[in-house]
Amino acid sequence: MGSPSSHHTPSHGRPSRRLSLLLGCTALVAIPLTAVAQDTDEAGAYRLSPIIVNLSFDADDDAESTVAKELWTGGKVATSILDTPASVAVVTQKEITQRDADKVEDVLEYTPGIVTDYYGTDDRNDYYLVRGFQASTYRDGLTLGSMRGVREEPFAFERLEVMKGGNSTLFGTSDPGGTVNFVTKTPKFYRFGEVYGSYGSHDHAEIGFDVGDVMNEEGTVAYRFVGKVQDASLEYPNSRDDEKFLLGSVAYRPTDVTELTFSVDYLKRDGTPNSGGYPLDRIYDRDQFFGEPSFNYHDVERLTVSAGLRHEFENGLKLNANLRYSDLTDNFGYVYVNDSPTRTGTMVPRDYFGSDSTAEELIGNVILQYDTTVGAADSSTLAGFEFRDASTTSSSFYGNHTPIDTTNPVYTGAPTGYAPYSVQANSFTTKSVFLQQNLSFSDRVIVTVGARHDWLDITNTDRLAGTTTQASFSENSYRAALTYKVTDEISAYASYVQSVAPPSIGTQPERGAQYEAGIKYQPEAYNALFTASVYDLTKSNVVVPVNVPGVGIVRQTIGESRVRGIEFEARAELADGLTLSGGYSYQDSKYVRGVVRGVTVDGNQFATVPNHLASIWLTYDLPDTGSFGDVTVGIGARYIGPYYYNVYNNTGKSPAQTYIDASFSYSFAENTELTINVNNIFDRQYVVGRGTADYYNNGRTITAALRRTW
């Protein structure tokens, strides 16, 4: 899915490295616009006040590499991952293409500290946990907010960035485990293109394109069009997974210090939300279906319009601004198994569940950054304002359906005569101000401090009860970090970050705090990055979703929880065409105190959070075979340790899971490539989720794609 780009190597002069240190600590709050500067010197570096920035590389410089060295979280002002005081993982275009990662869950499944797809054949959302908690999601540094429930399209993005640990000082209200930032594809100011077609298991057919060029002779206007059409089924019977996606963007760069971007994208999904689950008494074949074929739908339609402005003044001052509007409709309904371990006989009860919802959101920010020298220290100061205005509606229904015989399933049709049990309208208004200060001493020591204040106003209207309630919150969050450059290749850091999760009426905001220390190694001899970290993460006022029979999903506060862990990650492009990425994480999760539906959960482990996660992916470019063409083979392995299925720890544990994946690519002509991917080669089947039914992991899939680039 990647597109070719020229590769340049930035110089490593002392002044350039100073600003890299500063920006590495300032990342996550700039805007998605290409970095440029003011005046050039003879060496090709650009001077911003007394600090020199080297801009001899493109913003998507690592699109053709699996080892990202620059962090764009919040924008394309590239900042050094080596000098960022946090554990960061980046999945680039090249890796997404190599592994044929067609869903966000697939993109993230080889990332240490992240467990994905723990609901198996529940396909309503992208499911992943970072360090034991739901990840907060962002697109180009702006929260997805009420758009979070939509399965994102990976082909729309240059890369996915994961920053471990909560950081409300930079992001605003967010969960403490970590953040996932989707970096949107934007114009490149040169001609490029890609078209592909693929076909695979479950009649999965898709075509896509990604093209762009400069529009005028002056080279000041560029465009990019990205599109994908998918016609597919899912693993279970009576399913579909159809999609249409289109992204168009234009960038105007009249001078080297000013750029304006505008983009529109449209996503439409016509799918099925759920297999209905499988009874609890044994392992069933995946081709059995216990839902209801005539009542199994999930329709999503979203329109997004975005704009961004970047301008650099003299003397080190920069202005960045973003604005995004989104409109969403999301409707689903399905019948599912409502089994019990005490059931006798072959007749299994079933229920139905569904929701019709809408969301509308306007979000934007304005950011000023000032770089200068204060005495013997290099200084970077960042201040900003952010706002969000969102509204949602939902109408949810739930009830009993006819039972089904596991030995002779007979479908009885869609439920009739049901009425919604909940009809809600909500509005959310957020205003935020934030300030961050970075000081670099002697190119070795970087001190980072930050503060943020969020004002949140929430209004809820219960349209069935005819009541309206309001709540207001005012929350502070802080951040502090110290980075020490041991050598030009090694950096060590320690940090403290706070998080404030979005509250709801009737609950207090969930607050998180994380202490982390780590070390990173980026050798100059070859393209690689190695990271090791240890952390202690706590969260108070924890709210968990609980399935209450006859009522549905309700949210309940359980008190305090904690995760402690270690993580190791390695990404390297070695000699002789060998590339590796892999990692290991250990997570010790625990509910410190709390009660859920009258049951004490003190000392219990989190649901769906294993103690151990490990993965490795290797690719090897076979020696040049001349006229035969270039051949690359890949092999990957993932291990997911056992985890409890619920917060009570009383419905058993998942088995340890091991998956083997493989890839093969053959460039039989210039810029033309055939790829074959096999996921879950040995077709392992596990119960990955359990509630009123069992949910299984995805079985073996095989996909072949033909791709042409220029």
Side-chain angles (χ1 to χ4, degrees), residues 686-709:
Y686 304 102
V687 178
V688 297
R690 173 173 292 166
T692 64
D694 281 345
Y695 291 90
Y696 305 145
N697 63 292
N698 292 317
R700 179 173 50 237
T701 59
I702 304 173
T703 304
L706 185 63
R707 179 173 285 102
R708 172 78 175 177
T709 60

Side-chain angles (χ1 to χ4, degrees), residues 445-516:
V445 178
I446 311 103
V447 177
T448 302
V449 292
R452 181 176 179 126
H453 188 83
D454 294 279
W455 294 271
L456 303 94
D457 296 314
I458 305 173
T459 300
N460 170 259
T461 299
D462 187 329
R463 292 178 174 172
L464 290 182
T467 59
T468 298
T469 54
Q470 296 179 316
S472 296
F473 302 89
S474 181
E475 299 292 333
N476 294 314
S477 56
Y478 303 96
R479 176 190 190 217
L482 180 67
T483 303
Y484 176 62
K485 292 284 298 209
V486 181
T487 69
D488 289 348
E489 299 177 316
I490 300 173
S491 68
Y493 68 90
S495 68
Y496 170 76
V497 294
Q498 293 183 338
S499 67
V500 182
S504 58
I505 294 176
T507 65
Q508 292 298 313
E510 301 174 345
R511 296 198 64 95
Q514 176 182 276
Y515 297 89
E516 180 177 354

Side-chain angles (χ1 to χ4, degrees), residues 476-687:
N476 294 314
S477 56
Y478 303 96
R479 176 190 190 217
L482 180 67
T483 303
Y484 176 62
K485 292 284 298 209
V486 181
T487 69
D488 289 348
E489 299 177 316
I490 300 173
S491 68
Y493 68 90
S495 68
Y496 170 76
V497 294
Q498 293 183 338
S499 67
V500 182
S504 58
I505 294 176
T507 65
Q508 292 298 313
E510 301 174 345
R511 296 198 64 95
Q514 176 182 276
Y515 297 89
E516 180 177 354
I519 189 167
K520 301 178 183 181
Y521 172 51
Q522 182 179 298
E524 294 183 352
Y526 55 97
N527 191 21
L529 181 66
F530 304 93
T531 304
S533 61
V534 57
Y535 64 90
D536 186 320
L537 171 60
T538 60
K539 183 177 182 180
S540 57
N541 299 330
V542 180
V543 178
V544 297
V546 177
N547 185 14
V548 179
V551 177
I553 303 296
V554 298
R555 297 176 65 81
Q556 299 186 358
T557 302
I558 69 167
E560 182 179 332
S561 60
R562 184 192 70 209
V563 181
R564 292 172 175 169
I566 57 174
E567 289 177 355
F568 302 95
E569 182 169 10
R571 294 178 181 270
E573 294 179 342
L574 306 174
D576 302 322
L578 179 64
T579 300
L580 72 86
S581 63
Y584 166 79
S585 60
Y586 171 76
Q587 303 171 118
D588 179 19
S589 66
K590 180 180 179 181
Y591 291 111
V592 178
R593 64 177 185 275
V595 176
V596 179
R597 292 182 60 202
V599 178
T600 299
V601 295
D602 294 7
N604 287 9
Q605 293 185 28
F606 292 8
T608 63
V609 177
N611 291 129
H612 303 278
L613 289 165
S615 65
I616 186 169
W617 180 271
L618 298 169
T619 60
Y620 179 60
D621 298 329
L622 297 181
D624 188 2
T625 54
S627 60
F628 182 70
D630 297 328
V631 175
T632 300
V633 294
I635 188 74
R638 294 182 292 124
Y639 172 81
I640 304 170
Y643 52 77
Y644 286 104
Y645 291 121
N646 68 12
V647 298
Y648 305 112
N649 296 179
N650 63 1
T651 57
K653 273 188 169 184
S654 71
Q657 305 166 43
T658 303
Y659 302 101
I660 305 296
D661 309 315
S663 66
F664 170 85
S665 67
Y666 172 40
S667 298
F668 57 88
E670 185 177 4
N671 297 327
T672 304
E673 183 180 57
L674 172 68
T675 61
I676 298 174
N677 288 81
V678 185
N679 295 321
N680 192 5
I681 291 176
F682 299 108
D683 200 25
R684 296 293 181 87
Q685 183 174 354
Y686 304 102
V687 178

